[in-house]
Amino acid sequence: MKILVVGGGGREHALCWALAASPLCDELYCAPGNAGIAEEATCLEIGAEDVDALVTAATDRAIDLAVVGPEAPLVAGLVDALEGAGVKTFGPSKAAAELEGSKAFAKELCAKHGIPTPAFQRFTDAEDAKAYAASQPLPIVVKADGLASGKGVTVCQTHGEAERAIDAALVDKRFGAAGDSVIVEQCLSGQEVSAFALVDGETALMLPCAQDHKPAYDGDTGPNTGGMGAYSPTPLVDEPTAELIHATILQPTVEAMKAEGRPFKGLLYAGLMMTPDGPQVLEYNVRFGDPECQVLVMRLMSDLLPALMAACDGVLDSFDMRWFAETAVSVVIAARGYPGSYQKGEPIGGLDALKAEEDLVVFHAGTKADADGSVRANGGRVLTVTALGGTLEEARERAYTAIDRIDWPGGFCRRDIGWRALAKPTIETED
Ligand code: GLY
């Protein structure tokens, strides 16, 4: 089979790594890819949002399956364009990608279909939003409705902060059209879990859960990022809890989308708050998490390619996937300054020596290669060092030992990935 993966981050490297290992994969392409992906796939110099060029590349090469990684092209309708040109594609249609493209749509879907989510109201008028926020207990969350590169969510400790966050979106238009409406939402405390399912329009085939680390620095301090590290499994999700997540969140979401005339196909990612009353949906994403995808592929025993095909073909009800029981840990190495401004172009050494390590893969996120093959930093999140171990401690040790062998003074990572699971896994109670 000829496969095209769209995207160029750590998630897409992980997808390419897993797909390249499939005996069904004869040719693998990635657009635009990165220096690490280039070792698994032929990289095409096409941006992930260049819909017309991607359709031409896929049809010219008679691609059998396209796999779209990032949210922006999904929300822009890349899957519709590829399928319209006859290319089988893993990922949701533009209508179904609204689940991530509009937080208001997602929250209203939950409210209408009885899917647990924190209380909320949607506003387009700043004064109405401020009046509602002022009537609510603190802290309170203000969210820009659309895609805002991870910057549209503010957890407000005071009503003044809530007013400023509302003004930033609705009055100052800091997020452009993504802030034309806002959600003002009850703030839940506790631990977050990332839950995933492959979906074929009808069936949610649940994958293992993971936990991410959004703040940039140790101890969950500093600005929020796309994710600085992840691990799977998480002690917060035992088998009964996984069944609860499937029965109360994932499968009902799939059924709700079908009932709304927007059948969902692809990867459904529910960001959940684990509360004493059960899991609640904080947000949906319509693609694999990054770096959660890296830990999932390390634990995947089955061939990924038939699983993605089964989602496209509507046969997940008779499909099963097998997973290694071991723990996978992924630690992101980012450019100093990320998620603010940072340097590009610095050389990164020590990567070749790590290729021979067992149960360890350095997935590239923002990298590019010189003509001689040497690797340079080319983004905010640059590498995701991912290890498998019999325990979380063992996997962490393997990942951090590898990181200490990477020569890149311009990079930084969190040194405490997995700390919550190692400290004391609990679901917070009221007292
Ligand atoms: N790691 C969080 C995300 O992919 O959205």
Side-chain angles (χ1 to χ4, degrees), residues 11 212 214 226-227 269 283 285 287-292 381:
R11 166 184 48 219
D212 189 12
K214 293 260 174 61
Y269 162 0
E283 63 174 18
N285 298 301
R287 34 78 192 174
F288 283 97
D290 187 347
E292 292 99 319
R381 292 190 293 176

Side-chain angles (χ1 to χ4, degrees), residues 80-94:
D80 310 62
L82 285 165
E83 289 183 340
V87 181
K88 185 176 290 208
T89 306
F90 178 82
S93 65
K94 183 179 165 92

Side-chain angles (χ1 to χ4, degrees), residues 123-127 129-130 142-145 148 151-154 156 159-182:
F123 298 96
T124 51
D125 180 83
E127 295 315 311
K130 289 180 202 172
V142 177
K143 295 179 171 177
D145 178 42
K151 299 194 172 92
V153 177
T154 313
C156 307
H159 289 119
E161 227 181 303
E163 290 191 1
R164 286 191 290 281
I166 290 164
D167 278 342
L170 293 178
V171 179
D172 305 338
K173 298 284 172 201
R174 197 170 300 161
F175 310 111
D180 282 350
S181 66
V182 296

